[in-house]
Amino acid sequence: MLKSLDLSGKVAVVIGGTSGIGKTMSIGLAEAGADVVPCSRRIDAADPVAAEIEKHGRRSLRLAADVADKQSLTAARDEILAKLGHIDILINCAGRIKRTPLLDMPEEEWTAIIDTNLTGTLRACQAFAPPMLQQGWGRIVNIASLTSFVALLEVGAYTASKAGVAGLTKALAIEWGSRGVNVNAIAPGVFRTPLNQQLLDGTDRGRELKMRTPLKRFGTVDELVGAAVLLSSEAASFINGEILVVDGGFLASGVNQ
């Protein structure tokens, strides 16, 4: 591994780090050398991921944190600082999505999705950035989406929230970059997970998503680890305010046949 990509000695926090993309990133950062704390709303969900991190010879903690509850985030931050000494990296993976036509969408559903995906990202950044700003070094990686750039049918609230995450990432980058904290985002394309496997493999929507992807396949979540390690590392010292798209060419796609 290039020395600038080595995360040894760094402490990373992954919000939503116990399942799907977040779990894979938690393990990937540990493999790159970081001590990693995978946070979840349920502390029992954090335990097996923390145990796997420890099998890699890294330190971890079992903590619950909810992006809807700022106090839970600051409590987790304070415990990490007390037990691990510092915080260098924050990955924001918590999110929610529901398919509903906008004409029929209850305001409560809209608000819940925006609150988790966009406002929750801000809450986590506000909670974990202060120790990074104080030490003059940090990396924050938000999770954007294809919908940060293009709309997908009937996920309007999710689309609005992820467009907001892209804008928030840039806003934080210009406020905090001069103080040593680089803020970027990863925009995943279509990745197969246990939650979406039936959609991707058995519907016209899934077939269209694959057709629009020039690599002619869906991604595997481990293919996001390289981007996460890069943006968390010293190698990203001059990358700030960037939305790094990992989508197999989806956004480059026009006519495919």
Side-chain angles (χ1 to χ4, degrees):
M1 182 182 295
L2 292 174
K3 184 176 181 180
S4 60
L5 290 171
D6 185 0
L7 301 183
S8 298
K10 304 297 184 186
V11 174
V13 180
V14 183
I15 305 296
T18 63
S19 63
I21 288 172
K23 176 181 177 181
T24 300
M25 288 187 176
S26 294
I27 302 304
L29 294 180
E31 290 174 340
D35 299 321
V36 184
V37 180
C39 293
S40 169
R41 288 181 297 174
R42 297 181 2 256
I43 197 165
D44 60 307
D47 182 64
V49 183
E52 191 167 348
I53 290 164
E54 289 166 345
K55 288 180 182 178
H56 286 84
R58 314 304 177 196
R59 297 181 297 170
S60 190
L61 299 172
R62 283 83 171 153
L63 297 178
D66 185 350
V67 295
D69 179 1
K70 181 74 171 290
Q71 186 174 355
S72 76
L73 294 166
T74 56
R77 176 201 65 201
D78 292 345
E79 186 166 349
I80 294 166
L81 290 173
K83 293 183 176 178
L84 300 183
H86 52 100
I87 296 170
D88 308 290
I89 299 160
L90 171 67
I91 312 286
N92 280 310
C93 287
R96 65 192 298 173
I97 185 172
K98 186 176 180 182
R99 184 173 180 176
T100 306
L102 284 170
L103 186 62
D104 303 324
M105 178 172 290
E107 187 172 327
E108 294 78 8
E109 182 179 316
W110 170 275
T111 301
I113 292 171
I114 296 293
D115 188 70
T116 297
N117 296 353
L118 179 55
T119 311
T121 296
L122 175 62
R123 290 189 190 104
C125 289
Q126 289 175 325
F128 287 94
M132 300 186 203
L133 293 166
Q134 185 174 12
Q135 69 193 12
W137 197 98
R139 299 285 186 266
I140 295 175
V141 182
N142 297 324
I143 300 300
S145 166
L146 294 177
T147 62
S148 299
F149 304 94
V150 297
L152 303 183
L153 183 67
E154 295 181 346
V155 287
Y158 183 81
T159 298
S161 72
K162 290 299 186 177
V165 168
L168 175 63
T169 297
K170 294 176 183 294
L172 293 174
I174 65 171
E175 291 195 23
W176 294 346
S178 64
R179 300 172 66 184
V181 176
N182 293 25
V183 186
N184 296 287
I186 295 170
V190 186
F191 285 78
R192 180 180 276 108
T193 70
L195 291 178
N196 68 12
Q197 183 170 333
Q198 185 175 355
L199 167 70
L200 297 184
D201 294 339
T203 68
D204 288 340
R205 190 181 183 95
R207 285 185 282 274
E208 182 179 353
L209 288 168
K210 182 180 286 187
M211 181 271 291
R212 288 283 305 277
T213 303
L215 292 187
K216 299 305 178 187
R217 64 176 178 85
F218 302 122
T220 59
V221 290
D222 60 293
E223 291 178 296
L224 291 166
V225 171
V229 171
L230 168 64
L231 294 179
S232 299
S233 72
E234 189 58 44
S237 57
F238 207 60
I239 304 175
N240 190 41
E242 182 63 39
I243 315 298
L244 177 55
V245 180
V246 185
D247 71 345
F250 186 102
L251 292 179
S253 175
V255 175
N256 286 271
Q257 55 188 338

